[in-house]
């Protein structure tokens, strides 16, 4: 299930790049979010019940709107706009820095999940990797890279707000509210910037792929992973997405990446490993300690 999720989300960067050829970012995310919301609306009543879903939406309306704008509408647009200027594989590498921003913001504002010690070192390493990636871009692509950095920042803030204020809400209800509210927010600009002629089949197919498997089904897989295997295991998808997205971009879009991209990837993923506690001094010592014989 983890591999399936990584393959789906890794392909999303490629599909965004294809759809960007004929669709404005606002129109692209309107189609993506609209399809995802309709798909989830058909599933949620069976998963949580209509009454329970409506009650959760009413009781948490304010924070659901906030999270929808910060964690879905904003980052979806930033990523789509950013990919009009940079390669899909590079966007996936920068996106992998979400846990780094998460750790940095939590250190400053969210005391209940604050990181210290070696994990702060990981945060610093991850930021160096992001700076390397952005700084290595030609002048015409820097804004695109910064837009994807903004997307990662939005995801980090949205995740922390969700953990603090929507902890008791079923995750699939949060997904439905996020996609539905974000689609409404994108509606005016999405319609105003819609193309005057019907896009090609590749662009339409990319929007469908982004909306149904790339958002709705991916949400369901992600929440199922959290439920069955735990959040720590589900977070491993962070490490799998960039190499998969790089492969998709190289094979299907002809993208090529230099040493700075791979160096940035190594720093970002290394920083994520340290910053999230996946790798640390304690775990290293545990691996080095000799195994105890059974008594």
């Amino acid at each position: 299930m983890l591999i399936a999720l990584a393959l789906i989300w890794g392909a999303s960067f490629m599909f965004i790049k294809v759809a960007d050829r004929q669709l404005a970012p606002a129109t692209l995310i309107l189609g993506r979010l609209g399809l995802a919301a309709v798909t989830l609306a058909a599933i949620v009543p069976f998963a949580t019940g209509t009454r329970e879903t409506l009650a959760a939406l009413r009781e948490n309306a304010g924070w659901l709107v906030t999270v929808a704008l910060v964690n879905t509408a904003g980052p979806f647009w930033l990523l789509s706009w950013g990919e009009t200027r940079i390669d899909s594989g590079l966007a996936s590498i920068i996106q992998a820095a979400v846990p780094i921003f998460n750790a940095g913001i939590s250190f400053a504002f969210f005391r209940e999940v604050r990181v210290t010690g070696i994990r702060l070192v990981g945060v610093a390493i991850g930021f160096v990797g992001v700076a390397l990636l952005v700084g290595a871009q030609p002048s015409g692509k820097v804004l695109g890279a910064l837009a994807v950095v903004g997307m990662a920042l939005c995801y980090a803030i949205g995740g922390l707000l969700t953990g603090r204020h929507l902890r008791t809400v079923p995750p699939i209800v949060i997904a439905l509210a996020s996609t539905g509210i974000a689609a409404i927010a994108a509606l005016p600009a999405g319609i105003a910037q819609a193309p005057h002629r019907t896009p090609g089949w590749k662009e339409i197919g990319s929007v469908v792929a982004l909306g149904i498997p790339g958002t709705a089904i991916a949400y369901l897989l992600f929440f199922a992973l959290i439920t069955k295997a735990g959040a720590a295991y589900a977070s491993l998808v962070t490490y799998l997405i960039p190499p998969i997205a790089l492969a998709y971009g190289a094979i299907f879009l002809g993208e090529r990446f230099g040493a700075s991209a791979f160096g940035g990837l190594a720093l970002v993923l290394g920083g994520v490993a340290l910053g999230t506690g996946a790798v640390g001094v304690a775990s290293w010592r545990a691996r080095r300690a000799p195994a105890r014989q059974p008594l």
Side-chain angles (χ1 to χ4, degrees):
M1 192 180 295
L2 183 70
I3 299 298
L5 180 61
L7 289 171
I8 292 172
W9 271 345
S12 294
F13 296 89
M14 174 186 67
F15 287 126
I16 290 171
K17 192 70 176 178
V18 173
D20 272 341
R21 294 170 180 170
Q22 295 186 13
L23 295 173
T27 305
L28 165 57
I29 67 169
L30 173 60
R32 177 182 184 180
L33 290 169
L35 286 170
V38 170
T39 303
L40 289 168
I43 297 172
V44 166
F46 299 99
T48 62
T50 302
R51 287 186 179 180
E52 291 80 0
T53 299
L54 292 175
L57 292 174
R58 284 194 302 268
E59 293 170 5
N60 302 277
W63 283 111
L64 285 171
V65 170
T66 301
V67 168
L69 297 177
V70 174
N71 199 56
T72 301
F76 274 35
W77 185 87
L78 287 168
L79 176 59
S80 299
W81 186 86
E83 284 203 42
T84 63
R85 287 159 172 77
I86 64 173
D87 289 338
S88 64
L90 176 60
S92 73
I93 297 174
I94 299 175
Q95 181 269 343
V98 171
I100 298 298
F101 286 99
N102 191 304
I105 294 169
S106 65
F107 178 79
F109 301 107
F110 290 77
R111 303 181 70 89
E112 66 270 25
V113 288
R114 179 173 290 186
V115 298
T116 57
I118 192 68
R119 297 176 69 176
L120 278 179
V121 176
V123 172
I125 292 172
F127 278 128
V128 170
V130 172
L132 173 63
L133 291 168
V134 174
Q137 302 309 305
S139 58
K141 296 184 177 183
V142 169
L143 286 178
L146 287 175
V148 183
V149 172
M151 175 213 68
L153 181 61
C154 285
Y155 276 144
I157 296 172
L160 290 167
L161 290 175
T162 300
R164 174 179 284 183
H165 299 287
L166 298 175
R167 190 177 305 168
T168 60
V169 181
I172 194 170
V173 175
I174 299 174
L176 172 62
S178 295
T179 54
I181 294 167
I184 293 171
L187 187 61
I191 293 176
Q193 298 178 23
H196 298 294
R197 59 180 182 178
T198 304
W201 68 269
K202 291 182 179 179
E203 288 73 21
I204 294 175
S206 293
V207 173
V208 173
L210 286 166
I212 299 176
T215 303
I217 294 176
Y219 271 142
L220 296 176
L221 287 174
F222 185 62
F223 295 141
L225 273 174
I226 292 175
T227 301
K228 295 180 179 180
Y233 181 77
S235 68
L236 292 176
V237 73
T238 301
Y239 300 91
L240 298 177
I241 289 175
I244 290 173
L246 287 169
Y248 280 133
I251 295 170
F252 298 106
L253 302 177
E255 296 177 351
R256 296 292 180 265
F257 305 95
S260 61
F262 291 104
L265 174 62
L267 288 172
V268 168
L269 293 186
V272 169
L274 288 173
T276 59
V279 175
V281 174
S283 60
W284 179 81
R285 287 175 177 171
R287 288 194 299 269
R288 293 276 295 182
R292 293 182 62 183
Q293 296 296 323
L295 299 176

